[in-house]
Amino acid sequence: MLKQHRELSMSIRRTIENNEEAGIRPSKTYQSFVAAAGGHRELNFIEKDVKNYITREVRNVSEQEDAKEFGKSRAAFEYFGDVISFDTTYNTNRDNLVCGSFVGVNHHGQSTLLGCSLMKNEEIESFKWLFQC
């Protein structure tokens, strides 16, 4: 099938998005379309089109949403002047990694876990790298 004749309808796109959100692999999603249509030849797209759509559209939306949420957090910090602390008082037993937690205190006085890290050591360079990330 020529590339210019391949397309994903709106209902196909919605099914791909729902399956991706549910954790269904692209190959299984494509196989379900093949089964419903009665064979590969009955579809006007190929498995690669499903994978490309997920990579290009579905995951791109997630990255944009993450960026938007990060922007909201920065805006809240600017507006409310929230407090963020970093604590490395816990060690993991099995791998002997230093567990660090980023805890914020918002304008209501509530503690909020913002993130955590596992570090191999507590050297200055490790902390510089972590805070830059």
Side-chain angles (χ1 to χ4, degrees):
M1 176 183 313
L2 296 174
K3 189 172 184 173
Q4 62 263 29
H5 296 287
R6 298 185 338 226
E7 70 174 305
L8 300 173
S9 68
M10 187 59 74
S11 63
I12 296 290
R13 290 176 187 205
R14 183 71 52 221
T15 302
I16 293 170
E17 291 168 9
N18 290 338
N19 286 358
E20 175 69 12
E21 189 174 321
I24 299 171
R25 295 187 318 240
S27 60
K28 294 292 183 188
T29 297
Y30 180 72
Q31 290 172 4
S32 71
F33 290 134
V34 170
H40 296 275
R41 292 197 165 110
E42 303 302 319
L43 294 175
N44 57 352
F45 59 92
I46 60 175
E47 185 175 347
K48 184 72 173 166
D49 295 327
V50 173
K51 292 178 180 180
N52 287 342
Y53 180 74
I54 290 170
T55 301
R56 190 176 60 248
E57 301 296 330
V58 177
R59 293 187 181 151
N60 187 32
V61 169
S62 297
E63 289 173 5
Q64 290 173 353
E65 289 173 356
D66 288 346
K68 187 170 28 171
E69 288 301 316
F70 182 71
K72 286 180 186 178
S73 296
R74 289 183 74 82
F77 176 76
E78 294 289 327
Y79 183 76
F80 296 113
D82 298 341
V83 174
I84 298 173
S85 68
F86 180 70
D87 183 22
T88 58
T89 58
Y90 301 104
N91 284 339
T92 60
N93 294 336
R94 192 171 89 192
D95 298 318
N96 200 30
L97 296 173
V98 178
C99 178
S101 60
F102 290 91
V103 177
V105 179
N106 64 19
H107 61 288
H108 297 293
Q110 301 166 328
S111 295
T112 306
L113 180 63
L114 303 172
C116 59
S117 67
L118 291 173
M119 299 181 345
K120 195 170 191 170
N121 56 50
E122 293 185 271
E123 295 175 2
I124 293 173
E125 291 303 314
S126 297
F127 286 107
K128 285 182 180 178
W129 175 84
L130 178 64
F131 291 136
Q132 287 174 348
C133 292

